[in-house]
Amino acid sequence: MNYHFSEALSGMDGTATRDIFKLLSRPEIISFAGGLPASDALPTRLMGEIAAEIFVDETEALRCLQYSVTEGYPGFRETVIDLVRDLGITGITPDNVLVISGGGQGLDLMLKAFVNKGDVVLMEDPTFLSFIQAAKSYNAVAVGVAADSDGVSLGDLEAKLKRYAPKLMYLIPTFSNPTGKTYPIEKRKAVIDLAHRYGVIILEDDPYSRLRFAGEPVPPMITLDKHGIVVYVSSFSKTIAPGLRTGFAVGPAEIIRKLTIGKQNVDLHTSSLSQLAIKKYIEKGYFLPNIAKSIPLYRQRKTAMTDAINRYMPASFKHTDPDGGLFIWGEFDAPVNTTDMFQAAIAENVAYIVGSVFFADGGGANTLRLNYTNESPERIEEGVQRLGRVFKGV
Ligand SMILES: Cc1ncc(COP(=O)(O)O)c(C=O)c1O
């Protein structure tokens, strides 16, 4: 049979990703390729205790096993409202919150709500690969905005706002994936001013801001928005556990209503079991202390990686030094193609992600992304030493 699939997913067969993950399951490979939180930080025992509690309570068990409403498990949006207060997100009601099945779903729903075929969506170059792919799957035109050391370049952003009249701008202003960069508050304000002037909605993706191991917190862009143009998406994937597939979107009630409609015909609602487990986890006071426990581990692993880079990588390798999150971004100040070098790295039993995949419309041949959270400091040192051998003389 000749299957006539849609244009939306053409050119995305997923083979490259599958092949990489197959490779990474080999124990001899030291992997800096994934985006996994540290397995040691996952709360297996606490979640076991909570799951047992849920299933001995007949009412709770039934609520978890029965269909529920799209907006969120009863009381869970209030839990989210309480949770985001310390980030400075205040003055919101349940109408401003939608529970989603991971942050990724929030990105998809925003595209679904705002984008028609051919519309331009702006994003910082480089950015989260899944967002680029999701934008293309809605037949949007993904346009990258050049970046400085502290986030999008305001000059290039204004030029592209003028040129393309985009509907939507996607940003990861805190500990970006893939660069680890954070926008200072002045840049956040300037970006909001520009977006307001050109009538563009900002999608602020923030899965990582609580994973800060150095420096001072910067308020989320939504707290600086006086115009109702920022939608904030976050997730419990990196703060509790990704397998729970739960996150939340916060924004103007009118936009949240649209996202709710968009979600209704996709998965009806996020897993009630996950929502109740997270609600109990937060109410029992486990949330912030458990993150605090994982912070030294992340700090130690990031430091192990930057120390090893300084020791083993060639001088042409420039890299970010993040204050939090999961990733270091590297760029060779030399004519090297990291795609061409990938097989040589695998031959040395070390893996990274080729940087060019994070660019909306090409570029970044000399770049790569390194994850430091899911290997021990000893294996990080060994892995970077291997990378140093691969890129020796570059
Ligand atoms: C920037 C960014 N946004 C969103 C996500 C999606 O995470 P999830 O759907 O697990 O919440 C990720 C995951 O790696 C990410 O890096």
Side-chain angles (χ1 to χ4, degrees):
M1 174 65 189
N2 208 358
Y3 298 113
H4 298 286
F5 291 117
S6 71
E7 282 172 26
L9 299 185
S10 67
M12 293 183 218
D13 69 359
T15 318
T17 315
R18 257 199 321 275
D19 286 353
I20 287 179
F21 278 92
K22 227 187 288 167
L23 271 176
L24 302 186
S25 61
R26 293 192 346 220
E28 67 274 21
I29 299 238
I30 297 183
S31 174
F32 302 138
L36 307 177
S39 296
D40 318 12
L42 299 180
T44 46
R45 190 181 51 77
L46 298 175
M47 275 298 165
E49 178 195 301
I50 287 171
E53 231 177 70
I54 290 173
F55 286 107
V56 294
D57 182 320
E58 182 70 9
T59 314
E60 281 184 344
L62 279 177
R63 267 206 205 152
C64 281
L65 298 178
Q66 191 48 278
Y67 279 125
S68 182
V69 291
T70 305
E71 287 80 357
Y73 184 91
F76 191 64
R77 284 178 299 170
E78 286 80 355
T79 306
V80 170
I81 290 170
D82 288 343
L83 194 72
V84 296
R85 199 167 290 125
D86 71 338
L87 301 174
I89 304 175
T90 55
I92 53 171
T93 72
D95 290 343
N96 301 110
V97 179
L98 175 65
V99 180
I100 48 185
S101 300
Q105 183 173 64
L107 313 187
D108 191 85
L109 291 176
M110 281 294 286
L111 287 160
K112 193 175 189 179
F114 281 100
V115 165
N116 293 317
K117 184 174 182 175
D119 281 348
V120 166
V121 177
L122 293 187
M123 56 205 74
E124 181 180 338
D125 247 348
T127 197
F128 180 41
L129 169 62
S130 288
F131 184 78
I132 303 175
Q133 292 183 330
K136 290 181 178 167
S137 81
Y138 282 98
N139 295 305
V141 180
V143 172
V145 179
D148 302 325
S149 60
D150 65 352
V152 276
S153 142
L154 294 175
D156 196 43
L157 176 58
E158 180 151 24
K160 287 186 170 147
L161 286 166
K162 251 188 215 154
R163 178 165 170 200
Y164 295 111
K167 284 265 188 67
L168 196 64
M169 184 193 317
Y170 170 70
L171 302 172
I172 313 161
T174 310
F175 310 141
S176 155
N177 176 3
T179 66
K181 284 183 203 170
T182 292
Y183 300 18
I185 189 164
E186 299 74 28
K187 173 138 294 181
R188 292 174 189 231
K189 286 180 180 164
V191 170
I192 290 172
D193 282 350
L194 273 177
H196 180 233
R197 199 137 31 94
Y198 287 88
V200 182
I201 299 294
I202 295 174
L203 168 52
E204 177 180 22
D205 188 10
D206 183 27
Y208 300 118
S209 66
R210 289 194 187 271
L211 305 182
R212 174 179 283 281
F213 42 71
E216 290 304 311
V218 187
M221 291 179 76
I222 192 170
T223 68
L224 308 169
D225 171 24
K226 300 185 188 75
H227 317 290
I229 58 168
V230 178
V231 173
Y232 177 86
V233 168
S234 189
S235 162
F236 294 103
S237 287
K238 307 300 185 320
T239 54
I240 304 181
L244 296 170
R245 307 306 310 131
T246 304
F248 53 91
V250 178
E254 197 179 338
I255 297 181
I256 293 297
R257 250 194 321 277
K258 262 292 186 234
L259 302 185
T260 311
I261 294 165
K263 179 176 167 69
Q264 214 155 27
N265 57 28
V266 177
D267 63 355
L268 186 60
H269 63 78
T270 295
S271 156
S272 297
L273 180 56
S274 289
Q275 292 182 69
L276 181 57
I278 293 171
K279 188 167 184 289
K280 284 176 170 286
Y281 184 88
I282 293 169
E283 285 167 1
K284 285 170 180 281
Y286 296 155
F287 185 72
L288 290 177
N290 226 49
I291 294 172
K293 244 178 25 201
S294 68
I295 293 294
L297 185 114
Y298 285 162
R299 183 188 295 117
Q300 183 197 33
R301 291 178 182 193
K302 194 277 305 199
T303 307
M305 185 166 274
T306 45
D307 285 353
I309 288 173
N310 294 336
R311 206 164 323 133
Y312 302 115
M313 291 298 279
S316 65
F317 186 70
K318 312 292 177 213
H319 64 93
T320 55
D321 188 358
D323 286 342
L326 269 56
F327 307 108
I328 288 176
W329 180 249
E331 186 169 338
F332 288 93
D333 196 6
V336 61
N337 185 316
T338 57
T339 306
D340 295 345
M341 302 297 280
F342 187 73
Q343 284 312 324
I346 293 301
E348 282 279 355
N349 286 326
V350 61
Y352 56 81
I353 298 271
V354 166
S356 55
V357 301
F358 300 103
F359 285 78
D361 36 15
N366 57 334
T367 62
L368 53 81
R369 190 193 76 179
L370 300 172
N371 166 264
Y372 49 79
T373 52
N374 211 36
E375 294 281 7
S376 67
E378 296 72 31
R379 276 174 62 94
I380 288 173
E381 171 163 11
E382 171 61 30
V384 176
Q385 194 169 5
R386 292 178 191 175
L387 272 186
R389 284 200 291 275
V390 172
F391 288 101
K392 193 166 164 223
V394 168

